[in-house]
Amino acid sequence: MGLKVFCISSTVNWQEIIDRFYGEEETELKKLLLAHSEAVAQKALSVADRHPELKLDRLFLADAAMLHDIGIIECHAPGIYCNGWAPYICHGMIGSRMLTWSGVEHRYARVCARHTGAGLTCDDIVSQHLPLPPVSLLPETLEEQVICYADKFYSKSHPEQEKNIEQAIRSLQKFGDEGVERFKKWVVMFE
């Protein structure tokens, strides 16, 4: 798999971390995770390139984007090769725990936890009866926001296809109007 993003030196060994949980062999799930994560990393880095005034941490963006979906391995979504036990909505929190248990710097775990939808508020979690802790899972740092934003352009069912802005907005509508409005603000900031 020709991962092109990382000719720059890495802040964490994301490949080693992924291999620890997914094994070294190339399964369909692992190939999907890597293809999706690379697309998200490329999109996040393109935001950084277009907006040097934001002073985004490029190394962190690249590595965190490669790790943001690591938790899908524990989720149940057979259509994308995920044969785990948890509801898919939990993949961010699961990934956050996996990285924390691995001793990875906390800011990577935060990206995992805060990238679902356009972030989830405590009210979203409670009112929608989501199987998540009743806390705010909104992306706060610019890097968290950029990765969350970039992620909305790529689905795992068609990782090779980049959504346009309208398609990304439609995919967010199931998470509520607040998330759509957050995403629209990011469009203005990051495009």
Side-chain angles (χ1 to χ4, degrees):
M1 166 157 294
L3 297 175
K4 345 177 239 300
V5 174
F6 308 101
C7 51
I8 52 183
S9 94
S10 229
T11 56
V12 299
N13 188 335
W14 57 263
Q15 184 70 59
E16 182 181 292
I17 295 165
I18 290 171
D19 287 349
R20 185 178 313 147
F21 292 102
Y22 286 72
E24 291 186 25
E25 109 183 29
E26 290 233 352
T27 64
E28 291 301 315
L29 176 58
K30 186 176 178 184
K31 286 191 280 190
L32 178 65
L33 172 71
L34 291 172
H36 170 76
S37 299
E38 182 180 356
V40 172
Q42 293 286 4
K43 182 87 170 170
L45 290 172
S46 74
V47 170
D49 292 343
R50 281 194 311 277
H51 293 283
E53 75 280 4
L54 296 176
K55 296 178 174 39
L56 296 165
D57 182 338
R58 287 179 53 81
L59 291 174
F60 175 71
L61 277 178
D63 292 339
M66 291 306 295
L67 293 170
H68 81 280
D69 268 341
I70 196 166
I72 65 173
I73 195 167
E74 296 296 332
C75 295
H76 185 73
I80 55 168
Y81 313 107
C82 298
N83 297 307
W85 57 273
Y88 192 78
I89 191 91
C90 298
H91 76 279
M93 287 302 292
I94 291 168
S96 178
R97 288 183 190 122
M98 290 165 70
L99 294 183
T100 298
W101 294 333
S102 295
V104 175
E105 190 179 341
H106 183 65
R107 63 186 183 149
Y108 295 93
R110 282 178 52 98
V111 168
C112 289
R114 295 168 183 271
H115 82 276
T116 303
L120 297 167
T121 66
C122 182
D123 186 54
D124 293 332
I125 292 166
V126 172
S127 67
Q128 296 175 41
H129 307 287
L130 300 176
L132 295 167
V135 298
S136 173
L137 296 176
L138 293 175
E140 294 174 346
T141 69
L142 278 174
E143 285 82 4
E144 289 169 1
Q145 291 173 39
V146 167
I147 292 170
C148 186
Y149 174 75
D151 183 51
K152 301 302 97 62
F153 290 91
Y154 300 96
S155 76
K156 285 177 214 64
S157 24
H158 299 286
E160 71 289 348
Q161 296 175 354
E162 182 174 349
K163 296 176 189 175
N164 63 36
I165 290 170
E166 284 308 311
Q167 291 167 325
I169 288 170
R170 275 195 302 277
S171 71
L172 279 171
Q173 288 173 331
K174 64 184 169 205
F175 295 106
D177 293 338
E178 281 183 53
V180 170
E181 291 309 310
R182 241 184 329 278
F183 181 81
K184 287 178 178 178
K185 287 178 185 170
W186 292 338
V187 170
V188 172
M189 287 173 63
F190 301 144
E191 288 303 319

